[in-house]
Amino acid sequence: MSVLIVGSTALDSIKTPKSENPKLLGGSASHAGVAASFFSPVKLIGVVGEDFPKRYLDLYRRHRISLDGLQILPGKTFHWSGEYEQNMNNRRTLLTELGVFETFNPTLPKADQATPFVLLANIAPALQSHVLDQMRKPRFVVADTMDLWLNIALADLLKLIKRLDGFVLNDSEAQQLTKEDNVFAALKKIHKLGPKYVIIKQGSHGSILSGPQGLFLCPAYPLLKVVDPTGAGDSFVGGMMGYLAAAKGSIDANIRRAMVYGSVVASFCCEGFGLTRSTRVTRPQIEQRVKELEKLSRF
Amino acid sequence: MSVLIVGSTALDSIKTPKSENPKLLGGSASHAGVAASFFSPVKLIGVVGEDFPKRYLDLYRRHRISLDGLQILPGKTFHWSGEYEQNMNNRRTLLTELGVFETFNPTLPKADQATPFVLLANIAPALQSHVLDQMRKPRFVVADTMDLWLNIALADLLKLIKRLDGFVLNDSEAQQLTKEDNVFAALKKIHKLGPKYVIIKQGSHGSILSGPQGLFLCPAYPLLKVVDPTGAGDSFVGGMMGYLAAAKGSIDANIRRAMVYGSVVASFCCEGFGLTRSTRVTRPQIEQRVKELEKLSRF
């Protein structure tokens, strides 16, 4: 089955202590889309400007990503610039130029409205809701978010959360949302906002699922070197949704392995700037790391 | 088989935003000793003052902890006082009164010198080395440490590390020791200092083993509420060594499960002040949590 993914499609300029990488392909929908594409066909909903390089459109296409829902508008593509500190964990935003994103009003192609798996990747919650409004009986709807929306669009976010099957956020966002320091206490509170499945991302410490079958502690693949973690969270949730859309059986039967696959795709994402590493990954390389993760966590 | 454990035997006064708990039984050897005692007989090497409450000696004895190596000297027992912040992660020391600990010079009873498993729990590395000097062909020697010794006794610590089979430290100590932000890069560097097994503790995120059979990602048992994490790291390594001493077969065959058992005992430790919860735990309760951890991490 297919996954419909809405989110940002951007150009990212990423600085680290060691290098500068201007205008890489980025954005939550790009990262999630490429990650999901290893497992399922993807329908991308987004907007770019006329400056968007043709090679990036080709890149999407090489990944079986349908672009019927990608608007190309007069103006500039959303451009984000950030800088990482030496430890590669702390990041600060240098620049945010919204460009054509400012007036983004996604209208879904008819054919996309019946897509069974829907990933509302990180983007303003009002836009996530607007996309969800257009879907016809989706089977499984998951949204990701970021601290920005907790700060400036909390009411919209809470409205969206009620309608989700699954909600994904990181540990500091979970703490901010629930005022709970304890991640397991936070999970309980987030369930009360609506979603049956809640996933808390913990970066290099992995992620935690709370669902109808209880908790699952999902490991992160050990990396000796993190080149650029931008998009790792998007890759995680994209890989997970792609795997779920391809898997036979119930969500409960597949979601743990789906998270492990997402975790592995995210590990590749961290090994290169932007999507440079992710786009060179093969399915056998993914399978190899999943097998390694099984070994690393068996006792 | 037995485990010999040397470390601090102390009275801990622990403040949290919610309560004050004066002069609880504490110290690295007390926590590690009680944790190990669920699996194996323990020989405790330590020192206390004449003020040390008889009920704490009785507590050790109830846990099959041999006190032949516990000196009772004129003067006061080591007294530590600390305060936790709301999130129960940040701790500051309010008071350290060394008392009889200041002149501690452990001399091992003859009968204890042939103990096969040796745990050099957190204490000055010179004292850890002094105890190791007195051991006759131990089978498996593990040391724990803390940031204080990295700051004031690094040369002693490095001398000790060379002689160890296993070395245990937490992630910020590993970073301080190796100047590596990446925990897996830090593990590689620590192996070069000597030990075949290196374990990095990551608190509620679990722990990581690097050994002859590669990496093992050991989960932490999920706790909805942490009452007092003091001694959790000591309980982890104590439980691990107790389990290893009781297990048949090679270290490699048992160390993963040993870590999981240590992790579970540490989870109980966090659920009460000092040793108040740990000392009420039963072996079936430990087995129950190990089974749960298996379920929580299976995929």
Side-chain angles (χ1 to χ4, degrees):
Chain A
M1 283 190 262
S2 301
V3 189
L4 178 131
I5 300 179
V6 63
S8 57
T9 41
L11 299 174
D12 283 354
S13 296
I14 298 165
K15 264 177 100 167
T16 69
K18 285 185 189 146
S19 68
E20 265 185 71
N21 303 270
K23 303 211 171 170
L24 299 165
L25 177 57
S28 60
S30 302
H31 280 283
V34 167
S37 76
F38 292 108
F39 313 99
S40 299
V42 172
K43 296 167 191 216
L44 185 71
I45 310 298
V47 64
V48 296
E50 287 166 326
D51 60 340
F52 194 71
K54 184 180 164 297
R55 68 178 185 282
Y56 292 159
L57 294 174
D58 292 341
L59 183 156
Y60 287 141
R61 289 192 192 103
R62 274 202 308 279
H63 280 268
R64 295 190 295 172
I65 297 175
S66 149
L67 303 179
D68 296 346
L70 182 72
Q71 302 170 30
I72 303 177
L73 297 184
K76 288 211 158 199
T77 303
F78 177 30
H79 179 211
W80 174 82
S81 169
E83 181 168 18
Y84 283 92
E85 286 177 20
Q86 184 63 45
N87 67 13
M88 299 306 291
N89 282 319
N90 303 333
R91 175 175 89 177
R92 63 191 189 94
T93 292
L94 300 173
L95 178 104
T96 308
E97 296 170 319
L98 287 177
V100 292
F101 212 75
E102 202 151 6
T103 56
F104 182 38
N105 184 26
T107 304
L108 271 53
K110 262 255 144 47
D112 290 356
Q113 296 175 2
T115 314
F117 286 79
V118 179
L119 172 53
L120 310 168
N122 174 34
I123 194 181
L127 290 180
Q128 291 174 312
S129 287
H130 180 63
V131 167
L132 188 50
D133 290 340
Q134 298 171 62
M135 297 304 302
R136 288 199 310 270
K137 297 197 182 172
R139 184 172 160 211
F140 195 62
V141 179
V142 168
D144 194 359
T145 193
M146 74 182 290
D147 53 355
L148 175 67
W149 312 122
L150 290 165
N151 292 329
I152 69 167
L154 183 59
D156 287 348
L157 183 61
L158 290 171
K159 251 187 263 176
L160 172 75
I161 294 177
K162 270 188 208 168
R163 306 170 62 193
L164 301 173
D165 298 302
F167 183 46
V168 179
L169 70 177
N170 73 27
D171 39 13
S172 66
E173 291 153 8
Q175 192 181 339
Q176 187 181 343
L177 180 61
T178 62
K179 318 287 178 242
E180 282 286 350
D181 290 318
N182 182 297
V183 69
F184 302 102
L187 280 165
K188 280 189 190 289
K189 282 198 177 174
I190 299 169
H191 277 302
K192 288 191 183 147
L193 301 175
K196 203 165 151 188
Y197 300 85
V198 182
I199 292 173
I200 295 182
K201 298 176 286 184
Q202 303 187 304
S204 62
H205 295 300
S207 56
I208 303 170
L209 162 72
S210 172
Q213 303 202 325
L215 296 171
F216 169 53
L217 309 174
C218 178
Y221 184 84
L223 290 178
L224 258 174
K225 197 165 173 238
V226 171
V227 174
D228 171 21
T230 312
D234 307 309
S235 299
F236 166 74
V237 70
M240 179 185 88
M241 287 297 276
Y243 183 90
L244 277 176
K248 283 181 188 132
S250 69
I251 298 294
D252 279 333
N254 295 310
I255 193 163
R256 289 180 170 218
R257 285 193 79 77
M259 286 172 68
V260 172
Y261 276 85
S263 185
V264 162
V265 177
S267 76
F268 285 111
C269 173
C270 292
E271 289 184 313
F273 283 99
L275 279 155
T276 52
R277 176 81 179 98
S278 306
T279 46
R280 285 185 296 113
V281 169
T282 63
R283 182 68 188 260
Q285 289 174 319
I286 294 171
E287 296 297 340
Q288 177 59 31
R289 286 201 175 176
V290 169
K291 271 199 200 112
E292 281 180 64
L293 263 188
E294 277 172 345
K295 266 203 210 164
L296 294 177
S297 37
R298 196 182 299 149
F299 60 88
Chain B
M1 284 191 263
S2 300
V3 188
L4 180 131
I5 299 178
V6 64
S8 58
T9 42
L11 299 173
D12 283 354
S13 296
I14 298 164
K15 264 178 101 168
T16 69
K18 285 186 188 146
S19 68
E20 265 185 71
N21 303 270
K23 303 210 170 174
L24 298 164
L25 177 58
S28 62
S30 302
H31 280 282
V34 167
S37 77
F38 291 108
F39 312 100
S40 298
V42 173
K43 297 170 190 208
L44 184 72
I45 310 296
V47 64
V48 295
E50 288 165 327
D51 61 339
F52 193 72
K54 184 178 167 297
R55 68 177 185 283
Y56 291 159
L57 294 174
D58 292 341
L59 183 157
Y60 287 141
R61 288 191 192 104
R62 274 202 307 280
H63 280 268
R64 295 189 297 169
I65 297 175
S66 150
L67 301 180
D68 296 347
L70 181 71
Q71 300 169 30
I72 303 179
L73 296 183
K76 289 210 158 199
T77 302
F78 177 32
H79 179 212
W80 174 83
S81 170
E83 182 169 15
Y84 283 91
E85 286 176 21
Q86 185 64 43
N87 67 13
M88 298 306 290
N89 281 320
N90 303 333
R91 176 174 88 177
R92 66 192 186 96
T93 293
L94 300 173
L95 178 103
T96 308
E97 296 171 317
L98 287 177
V100 294
F101 211 75
E102 200 149 8
T103 57
F104 182 38
N105 184 24
T107 304
L108 272 52
K110 263 255 142 47
D112 291 356
Q113 296 174 5
T115 313
F117 286 79
V118 180
L119 172 54
L120 309 169
N122 173 35
I123 193 181
L127 290 178
Q128 292 174 310
S129 286
H130 181 62
V131 166
L132 188 51
D133 290 340
Q134 297 171 61
M135 298 304 301
R136 290 200 308 270
K137 298 196 181 173
R139 185 175 159 209
F140 194 62
V141 180
V142 168
D144 193 359
T145 194
M146 73 182 287
D147 52 356
L148 176 66
W149 312 121
L150 290 165
N151 292 329
I152 69 168
L154 182 59
D156 287 347
L157 183 62
L158 290 171
K159 252 187 262 175
L160 172 75
I161 294 176
K162 271 187 207 167
R163 305 171 64 193
L164 301 173
D165 298 302
F167 184 46
V168 179
L169 70 177
N170 72 29
D171 38 14
S172 66
E173 291 153 8
Q175 191 181 339
Q176 188 181 341
L177 180 62
T178 62
K179 318 287 179 244
E180 282 286 351
D181 289 319
N182 182 297
V183 68
F184 302 102
L187 280 165
K188 280 190 188 289
K189 282 200 177 173
I190 299 170
H191 278 301
K192 288 192 183 147
L193 301 174
K196 203 165 149 185
Y197 301 86
V198 182
I199 292 172
I200 294 184
K201 297 175 287 183
Q202 301 186 306
S204 62
H205 295 301
S207 55
I208 303 169
L209 163 72
S210 172
Q213 304 201 324
L215 296 171
F216 170 54
L217 309 175
C218 177
Y221 183 85
L223 288 177
L224 257 176
K225 196 167 173 235
V226 171
V227 174
D228 171 20
T230 313
D234 307 309
S235 299
F236 166 73
V237 68
M240 178 185 89
M241 287 297 275
Y243 183 90
L244 277 176
K248 284 181 190 132
S250 69
I251 298 294
D252 279 332
N254 295 308
I255 193 162
R256 289 179 169 218
R257 284 193 80 77
M259 285 173 68
V260 173
Y261 276 85
S263 184
V264 162
V265 176
S267 75
F268 285 112
C269 173
C270 292
E271 290 185 310
F273 283 98
L275 280 154
T276 52
R277 176 81 178 97
S278 306
T279 47
R280 287 185 294 112
V281 170
T282 63
R283 182 68 189 259
Q285 289 173 319
I286 294 172
E287 297 297 340
Q288 177 58 34
R289 285 200 177 176
V290 169
K291 270 198 201 114
E292 282 179 63
L293 263 188
E294 277 173 345
K295 266 203 211 164
L296 295 177
S297 37
R298 195 181 298 147
F299 60 88

